[in-house]
Amino acid sequence: MSEEWYLETTYDEAKRIIQANLNTMSRSFIAVGFYLKHIRDNGLYQEDGYHDIWEFAADQYGIQRSTASRWMAMNDRFSVGGNSPVLLEEYRDFGKSQLQEMLYLPEEKTSEATPDMTVKEIRELRREEAEVEEGPEEEPVSIPEEEPVSILGYPLREYPEGSLLTVPGCGKQDCFSCHWDGCGLRQVDCYCVEAPMGKPFPCTILQEGTDILREQVGNHCQFVNTDLAPIRAGDGQPVPCCKKCTVDCTYRCERSCKDLGIECATPHTEEPVCEDVVDTVEGELTEELYEEISDQSDADILKEELDKAKSNLNLMLSCYSEKDIRVRKQKLLVGAMAGMLCDLDMLDIPARQPELPKFRNNDQRKAWLRDYKSWGLWYEDENIGARYYKYDFNNGARLIAETYIHPGDKYAPEHESSFLHLVGGPEPTRKNGIPKWVRNERYNRFSNNETELVEFLKYVQKEEA
């Protein structure tokens, strides 16, 4: 058998595998719910010093209280005997989201749900029940009373009074990046995945509504069946997008149609158009392109955009860890903008810098490179904790030291890391056709190593001799 046998999987085999994995996922949640109950009922969480099962689940696995209580309630309802890690036979063809929705159905309505029903169709069973005349009170489902939660199972995000952070969302995800349908806590539209942070625009497919997609396209659509969507690094959330879809669909968004060079069969939200039609040339109308005039210099505009990027980074850091891919990308964006400002001389530059020493050997050159603080602090970015030192050479080159403080922990004390960037200057000399250092026309995120910078300092000293 080929080592890459999975690449030869047929369509029918792929569907069976997907369904099997979804069913396995349902059984996993039932099992997790049981063992959470087991730890709760026997007080085992106290062995690690936790006050209750909620603190244990949150600290050990990042499971919020609302989610943990829901999984335990699902185990009460759908496990063998109501208290085992085994899913009842009659529910083994249901997915996790379906079981979660069925949790709120009365017993007599649960039997009406079938594995081929969508979550929305199961939800309609609950609505139908609410519209029926009140009869004898049913035994309530054993679910702890708690605040309303989003479709992801997290409460509405709240900020202290007077907080400058106001990003709408739940405890798991920002509304502007959430593609889940049917969330009762949604506060703003989901943004297009290609929208810039400074000028976001909503996803036109979600604006048109997934009801149409569910009816016309069905589970082949990523917006209907998010299990088909690409997974975002960092938080593992699905990110459906027409550009990532291979289904021949007439409901593609206009942006994906343009990329594919096809004409959209369905009208979409129109882009802003130029309203001013001017002179007629040889019987043809010519369109005057819209132009917004500003007295701001390029440096002023860049400074304004950098402030916005820093603000967005602060908002992200309030929701995500520093290792999250979105935070990492935003840090790179902030750093790139800061570098462009360096090139435009928008930052405060010290009037004087120490004279370049007369180096006698490579050890002295390395020591000078490591003593970047003696060059003088050039710029400090308090938002991301970065400091920049720079040294300007007579040949037009600029050496920038980018530094960060890493807080200490039980494994290592607080320390500072630095990255050196050589910008501009002459073309490097070569040995056997290989350049002795890397020359960058503009600041970028790739740093120069110490060995090549030593070669550059040798060249500078020889040039000025």
Side-chain angles (χ1 to χ4, degrees):
M1 181 182 292
S2 168
E3 290 185 1
E4 297 184 345
W5 57 269
Y6 44 84
L7 297 178
E8 301 173 2
T9 304
T10 66
Y11 175 55
D12 288 337
E13 289 172 340
K15 289 197 295 182
R16 285 198 297 271
I17 292 171
I18 290 171
Q19 186 61 54
N21 278 277
L22 291 176
N23 294 346
T24 301
M25 188 183 301
S26 300
R27 299 173 194 177
S28 298
F29 283 108
I30 293 299
V32 171
F34 167 76
Y35 289 109
L36 284 174
K37 287 164 55 181
H38 177 73
I39 292 173
R40 177 198 64 189
D41 297 342
N42 293 282
L44 301 180
Y45 51 80
Q46 297 175 8
E47 294 183 14
D48 281 329
Y50 295 108
H51 295 294
D52 51 38
I53 188 64
W54 317 120
E55 184 181 356
F56 163 80
D59 185 61
Q60 288 282 335
Y61 309 106
I63 302 174
Q64 298 296 320
R65 176 175 181 145
S66 56
T67 304
S69 65
R70 182 176 299 104
W71 292 352
M72 288 190 283
M74 288 170 68
N75 182 270
D76 290 337
R77 186 75 172 271
F78 304 118
S79 70
V80 173
N83 190 35
S84 76
V86 182
L87 181 64
L88 282 165
E89 183 70 33
E90 58 263 37
Y91 298 119
R92 291 187 180 181
D93 290 331
F94 287 89
K96 178 252 180 181
S97 298
Q98 292 171 306
L99 291 180
Q100 181 172 295
E101 194 64 39
M102 291 161 60
L103 184 62
Y104 301 96
L105 290 175
E107 290 288 349
E108 66 275 11
K109 279 286 183 181
T110 304
S111 60
E112 296 181 22
T114 58
D116 59 346
M117 295 177 70
T118 65
V119 171
K120 184 178 180 182
E121 289 170 337
I122 296 174
R123 191 176 301 139
E124 287 299 324
L125 294 177
R126 181 152 50 112
R127 291 175 182 168
E128 291 171 10
E129 177 69 15
E131 294 172 359
V132 175
E133 271 188 23
E134 291 187 8
E137 274 193 21
E138 299 287 341
E139 186 71 22
V141 179
S142 176
I143 302 176
E145 290 188 8
E146 51 192 33
E147 59 186 316
V149 295
S150 70
I151 197 168
L152 295 175
Y154 291 82
L156 184 68
R157 187 183 303 156
E158 295 183 0
Y159 296 98
E161 185 177 352
S163 173
L164 297 177
L165 304 176
T166 57
V167 178
C170 67
K172 176 68 175 178
Q173 197 167 7
D174 298 337
C175 286
F176 68 74
S177 63
C178 177
H179 291 79
W180 291 96
D181 183 29
C183 180
L185 297 185
R186 181 175 292 283
Q187 301 160 74
V188 298
D189 287 334
C190 175
Y191 293 170
C192 172
V193 296
E194 292 191 346
M197 292 298 295
K199 295 183 178 180
F201 50 86
C203 170
T204 54
I205 291 297
L206 286 184
Q207 277 190 315
E208 290 173 8
T210 53
D211 288 346
I212 297 176
L213 299 174
R214 184 173 288 108
E215 179 181 346
Q216 301 295 330
V217 186
N219 279 339
H220 298 301
C221 176
Q222 293 180 15
F223 290 94
V224 175
N225 183 6
T226 54
D227 290 331
L228 301 177
I231 298 300
R232 179 167 50 212
D235 60 5
Q237 293 296 316
V239 187
C241 180
C242 291
K243 288 192 172 186
K244 302 291 185 180
C245 183
T246 58
V247 177
D248 186 13
C249 172
T250 58
Y251 291 91
R252 285 185 177 278
C253 75
E254 190 171 8
R255 297 177 71 83
S256 67
C257 290
K258 287 180 179 178
D259 274 12
L260 294 172
I262 61 177
E263 183 176 350
C264 282
T266 305
H268 298 280
T269 305
E270 295 184 357
E271 298 285 340
V273 296
C274 304
E275 298 180 354
D276 299 326
V277 179
V278 292
D279 301 331
T280 301
V281 179
E282 296 182 356
E284 296 183 1
L285 291 178
T286 60
E287 214 175 57
E288 181 180 356
L289 296 177
Y290 178 75
E291 184 178 79
E292 184 177 350
I293 305 299
S294 173
D295 294 332
Q296 289 180 296
S297 66
D298 289 348
D300 291 334
I301 294 172
L302 186 56
K303 181 66 168 65
E304 188 176 287
E305 293 302 314
L306 177 58
D307 290 340
K308 291 178 184 177
K310 290 177 183 176
S311 177
N312 286 328
L313 178 59
N314 282 335
L315 294 176
M316 288 182 173
L317 288 171
S318 71
C319 307
Y320 313 120
S321 73
E322 291 194 3
K323 294 181 180 179
D324 187 280
I325 186 64
R326 291 162 292 189
V327 174
R328 290 166 56 198
K329 287 181 179 179
Q330 192 66 13
K331 280 187 175 182
L332 291 174
L333 177 63
V334 169
M337 287 186 173
M340 292 176 69
L341 278 178
C342 295
D343 293 337
L344 293 173
D345 288 330
M346 271 295 294
L347 307 174
D348 294 331
I349 303 173
R352 295 180 181 178
Q353 62 181 20
E355 186 177 349
L356 190 67
K358 301 294 183 182
F359 303 114
R360 296 183 178 179
N361 51 53
N362 287 347
D363 287 339
Q364 291 182 359
R365 295 182 180 93
K366 291 178 182 179
W368 183 81
L369 290 170
R370 296 167 188 173
D371 189 27
Y372 48 79
K373 291 185 179 179
S374 67
W375 308 347
L377 180 64
W378 181 34
Y379 171 61
E380 182 173 6
D381 191 329
E382 297 178 356
N383 293 287
I384 60 175
R387 286 187 162 198
Y388 297 86
Y389 303 82
K390 67 97 185 170
Y391 195 93
D392 289 321
F393 296 90
N394 294 333
N395 58 15
R398 172 174 290 176
L399 186 57
I400 300 171
E402 176 186 5
T403 68
Y404 298 91
I405 297 293
H406 299 274
D409 54 30
K410 62 180 180 181
Y411 301 107
E414 180 179 280
H415 63 282
E416 184 176 73
S417 60
S418 61
F419 306 90
L420 298 174
H421 306 264
L422 184 63
V423 182
E427 288 294 330
T429 58
R430 294 175 179 267
K431 183 177 181 180
N432 297 326
I434 301 174
K436 291 187 175 183
W437 67 85
V438 176
R439 179 186 182 278
N440 297 303
E441 185 63 35
R442 301 177 64 84
Y443 176 95
N444 65 49
R445 65 189 181 92
F446 299 105
S447 58
N448 297 80
N449 63 53
E450 191 174 66
T451 302
E452 60 182 320
L453 291 176
V454 165
E455 293 298 323
F456 172 75
L457 291 177
K458 285 183 183 178
Y459 173 84
V460 169
Q461 195 163 359
K462 182 178 180 180
E463 185 183 37
E464 295 181 353

